[in-house]
């Protein structure tokens, strides 16, 4: 039924199979929509957030999605800005994944903004942050940058959408898509600028909390060290997440979508960035333990109490930081596919864990003598919004893969043969 | 965000100048990029090929 929409030179599963796959994710989206409806109707009392935990699961998810979506700006930066000069031999490998990175980035940022729309409780007043901007607030900078960057990602996504086989037949769409693609370096540069500042400001937002010694950091000029650590960690995790998504897509479709060299390149980039981030993170933790902590009149262990014990820092830095960095930077390990995927997955888990610790543990630690060490567990409505965004992401990625030429190397790597002849118009071939 | 909003200040506050300056620079770059794409599409569709060729950006976008 939808054969005419499928890109040339590739094969896709039947519409029936695809619909069954999509239903699974639509169920998650419905769960998210029901939860959002309840929050809008009854208010934020549908969540377990309170005066201690003003930030909860949604902010953990937001920060994680934004960090993992950094693959879009970083791959765009490497491909379109410095790719032609400094990374010339690898430019083709980067071009093979840049479409997928843009789609992943679009999904992450749109889901994060939708989630924030629910999180602010009164989305009807969401525009206040733009209209009545507090220019000295890191949160204002984040709001401006992620909104503008979602616009940039939409513009970067448009040429891919307009290259759909049917849409391309409309001359207006075809020329417009080509022109946008021609100037994509401009949008990649703007995206890099915006991402640099909002990734940083998300970290800076916690680093300036001088009343919360767990998060507070000194830094450079107006930026606390967390500003730079957040940028560094996001560009380390972004390519790993892109790698992971493409690998999962390969396993789900049973096709090779990019060459092995491309995976190796992404793993190498991610690994070296993670390794340097780990050095910076360990230095920051030591500096914090011997600087901020004693000055606050506290000891290191005051910050690690059940259930947010010292195991969290061991897991974040040791297990999901140093180990994946070693795996990804060591050629003999990253050449083995199992280890490569495990390394990328551990890298992603480490960044999510970091965002969890920065958000939840910071708020769990008492700041007044009469306060207790608090714990927080989300309600089903909070989980609903989070899982809804995962369902939305997988559905958009699946639709993009099915109907758009997302992987330029796919037709070459998976030639479609009919009676022993390679065909380039396979979308019109009816498959059993 | 805009001069007609009551919080807007014309005082020489560097934080405000840098923040708003960068914001409007970014919004300007995005708007100009989109405007260029729309104008070039319109030129091509209406058969103004000569002007289209003249306005087609060659540097730095196609150099790489």
């Amino acid at each position: 039924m939808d054969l005419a929409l499928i890109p040339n030179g590739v094969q896709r599963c039947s519409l029936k199979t695809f619909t069954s796959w999509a239903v699974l994710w639509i169920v998650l989206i419905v769960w998210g929509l029901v939860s959002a409806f309840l929050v809008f109707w009854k208010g934020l009392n549908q969540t377990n957030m309170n005066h201690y935990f003003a930030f909860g699961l949604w902010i953990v998810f937001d920060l994680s999605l934004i960090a993992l979506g950094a693959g879009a700006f970083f791959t765009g930066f490497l491909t379109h800005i410095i790719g032609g000069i400094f990374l010339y031999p690898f430019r083709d490998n980067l071009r093979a994944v840049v479409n997928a990175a843009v789609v992943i980035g679009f999904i992450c940022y749109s889901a994060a903004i939708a989630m924030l729309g629910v999180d602010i409780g009164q989305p009807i007043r969401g525009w206040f942050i733009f209209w009545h901007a507090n220019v000295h607030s890191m949160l204002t900078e984040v709001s401006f940058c992620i909104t503008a960057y979602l616009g940039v990602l939409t513009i970067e996504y448009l040429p891919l959408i307009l290259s759909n086989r049917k849409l391309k037949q409309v001359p207006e769409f075809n020329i417009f898509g080509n022109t946008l693609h021609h100037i994509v370096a401009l949008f990649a540069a703007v995206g890099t600028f915006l991402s640099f500042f909002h990734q940083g400001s998300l970290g800076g937002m916690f680093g300036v909390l001088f009343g919360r010694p767990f998060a507070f950091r000194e830094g450079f000029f107006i930026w606390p060290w967390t500003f730079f650590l957040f940028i560094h960690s996001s560009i380390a995790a972004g390519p790993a997440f892109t790698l992971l998504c493409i690998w999962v897509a390969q396993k789900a479709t049973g096709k090779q979508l990019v060459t092995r060299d491309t995976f190796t390149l992404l793993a190498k980039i991610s690994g070296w960035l993670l390794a340097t981030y780990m050095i910076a993170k360990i230095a920051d933790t030591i500096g914090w333990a011997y600087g901020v902590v004693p000055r606050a009149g506290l000891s290191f262990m005051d910050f690690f109490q059940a259930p947010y014990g010292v195991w969290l820092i061991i897991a974040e830095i040791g297990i999901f930081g140093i180990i994946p960095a070693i795996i990804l930077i060591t050629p003999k390990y990253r050449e083995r596919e199992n280890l490569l995927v495990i390394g990328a997955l551990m890298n992603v888990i480490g960044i999510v864990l970091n965002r969890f610790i920065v958000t939840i543990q910071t708020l769990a630690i008492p700041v007044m003598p009469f306060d207790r060490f608090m714990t927080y567990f989300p309600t089903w409505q909070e989980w609903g919004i989070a899982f809804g965004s995962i369902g939305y992401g997988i559905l958009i990625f699946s639709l993009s893969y099915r109907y758009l030429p997302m992987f330029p190397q796919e037709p070459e790597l998976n030639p479609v043969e009919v009676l022993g002849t390679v065909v380039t118009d396979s979308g019109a071939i009816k498959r059993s | 965000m805009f001069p007609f909003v009551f919080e807007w200040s014309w005082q020489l506050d560097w934080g405000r100048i840098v923040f708003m300056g960068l914001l409007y620079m970014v919004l300007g770059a995005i708007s100009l990029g989109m405007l260029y794409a729309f104008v070039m599409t319109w030129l091509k569709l209406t058969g103004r090929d000569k002007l289209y060729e003249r306005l087609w950006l060659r540097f730095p976008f196609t150099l790489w």
Side-chain angles (χ1 to χ4, degrees):
Chain A
M1 207 167 99
D2 63 341
L3 287 174
L5 294 170
I6 289 171
N8 284 329
V10 297
Q11 238 179 347
R12 296 288 181 260
C13 64
S14 68
L15 186 61
K16 200 176 161 188
T17 311
F18 182 75
T19 310
S20 320
W21 164 262
V23 164
L24 184 67
W25 310 112
I26 290 170
V27 169
L28 288 185
I29 295 172
V30 170
W31 181 15
L33 290 174
V34 170
S35 306
F37 172 74
L38 282 172
V39 173
F40 289 148
W41 183 35
K42 294 190 170 179
L44 287 173
N45 60 2
Q46 297 295 297
T47 72
N48 269 345
M49 288 189 286
N50 49 39
H51 290 314
Y52 283 98
F53 290 101
F55 289 164
L57 179 73
W58 296 335
I59 294 295
V60 175
F61 250 72
D62 270 342
L63 297 191
S64 305
L65 285 174
I66 286 171
L68 299 176
F73 99 82
F74 195 59
T75 314
F77 171 72
L78 293 179
T79 312
H80 302 298
I81 310 296
I82 62 167
I85 299 168
F86 301 108
L87 297 170
Y88 192 78
F90 310 112
R91 196 170 60 163
D92 286 342
N93 287 337
L94 289 168
R95 280 193 170 161
V97 294
V98 76
N99 286 344
V102 165
V103 175
I104 293 166
F106 175 82
I107 291 165
C108 289
Y109 277 80
S110 52
I113 289 178
M115 217 182 290
L116 281 175
V118 181
D119 201 359
I120 56 176
Q122 291 211 29
I124 205 163
R125 295 183 187 169
W127 57 278
F128 276 28
I129 200 161
F130 305 104
W131 200 258
H132 306 293
N134 171 8
V135 298
H136 301 291
S137 160
M138 293 258 185
L139 206 50
T140 306
E141 189 185 331
V142 171
S143 311
F144 276 64
C145 283
I146 60 169
T147 317
Y149 185 51
L150 180 61
V152 170
L153 280 170
T154 311
I155 294 168
E156 287 180 341
Y157 193 9
L158 262 180
L160 184 64
I161 295 172
L162 297 178
S163 61
N164 168 270
R165 199 162 143 203
K166 273 286 165 195
L167 290 177
K168 214 174 172 178
Q169 289 170 359
V170 181
E172 288 83 351
F173 289 160
N174 190 22
I175 298 167
F176 186 64
N178 284 341
T179 316
L180 276 183
H181 184 69
H182 175 66
I183 55 166
V184 74
L186 168 75
F187 297 113
V190 171
T192 304
F193 176 84
L194 289 170
S195 294
F196 181 85
F197 280 99
H198 75 249
Q199 297 282 0
S201 289
L202 278 171
M205 200 171 76
F206 291 96
V208 295
L209 297 174
F210 58 85
R212 294 199 176 265
F214 184 70
F216 178 70
R217 296 290 188 280
E218 279 139 352
F220 170 72
F221 195 40
I222 61 166
W223 299 290
W225 295 125
T226 47
F227 181 96
F228 303 100
L229 286 173
F230 261 55
I231 297 169
H232 205 150
S233 58
S234 65
I235 59 174
F241 188 62
T242 307
L243 183 160
L244 211 56
C245 289
I246 297 172
W247 184 83
V248 170
Q250 284 198 161
K251 291 293 160 196
T253 59
K255 288 186 197 139
Q256 193 184 354
L257 302 175
V258 295
T259 57
R260 186 62 174 75
D261 291 350
T262 308
F263 276 149
T264 307
L265 177 68
L266 286 177
K268 202 191 288 181
I269 293 170
S270 183
W272 279 106
L273 285 166
L274 183 64
T276 49
Y277 165 69
M278 271 300 121
I279 294 168
K281 175 74 186 169
I282 291 167
D284 170 74
T285 306
I286 293 169
W288 166 78
Y290 287 99
V292 177
V293 174
R295 277 206 301 276
L298 296 162
S299 70
F300 184 81
M301 290 310 290
D302 289 336
F303 295 95
F304 299 96
Q305 293 175 36
Y308 311 120
V310 80
W311 66 272
L312 268 175
I313 201 165
I314 295 169
E316 185 205 348
I317 296 178
I319 300 168
F320 296 107
I322 294 170
I323 294 174
I326 292 170
I327 292 174
L328 294 176
I329 60 173
T330 311
K332 76 171 177 188
Y333 294 150
R334 76 170 171 249
E335 289 306 324
R336 290 169 61 181
E337 190 169 315
N338 292 348
L339 280 179
L340 175 102
V341 173
I342 289 170
L345 182 64
M346 288 173 84
N347 182 349
V348 167
I349 293 172
I351 293 310
V352 174
L353 200 55
N354 170 265
R355 299 320 193 236
F356 170 82
I357 291 169
V358 168
T359 309
I360 300 297
Q361 200 172 346
T362 297
L363 300 176
I365 296 158
V367 288
M368 295 290 179
F370 48 83
D371 279 346
R372 287 179 295 116
F373 201 94
M374 302 299 286
T375 55
Y376 156 84
F377 195 80
T379 59
W380 68 265
Q381 291 92 331
E382 291 177 86
W383 284 117
I385 304 278
F387 279 102
S389 69
I390 293 174
Y392 155 80
I394 295 175
L395 189 65
I396 297 288
F397 193 84
S398 306
L399 284 168
S400 301
Y401 171 71
R402 186 173 177 81
Y403 296 118
L404 307 174
M406 201 154 76
F407 297 100
Q409 292 175 339
E410 190 190 350
E412 196 186 319
L413 294 169
N414 308 274
V416 180
E417 290 188 12
V418 175
L419 299 172
T421 311
V422 175
V423 291
T424 53
D425 195 16
S426 59
I429 296 166
K430 192 167 174 59
R431 292 173 294 275
S432 57
Chain B
M1 188 173 175
F2 299 108
F4 49 81
V5 179
F6 71 88
E7 293 99 336
W8 184 269
S9 167
W10 290 107
Q11 287 172 354
L12 198 67
D13 172 359
W14 285 108
R16 191 175 295 267
I17 291 168
V18 170
F19 186 90
M20 286 298 168
L22 290 176
L23 171 71
Y24 283 115
M25 191 186 78
V26 163
L27 294 180
I30 298 171
S31 311
L32 282 176
M34 289 306 285
L35 182 69
Y36 174 80
F38 280 120
V39 168
M40 293 301 278
T41 307
W42 177 73
L43 288 177
K44 188 77 176 170
L45 287 171
T46 51
R48 293 170 169 87
D49 287 349
K50 225 173 209 175
L51 190 57
Y52 177 87
E53 286 295 324
R54 195 184 290 174
L55 290 177
W56 188 249
L57 287 171
R58 294 184 199 287
F59 179 81
F61 304 104
T62 53
L63 181 72
W64 296 344

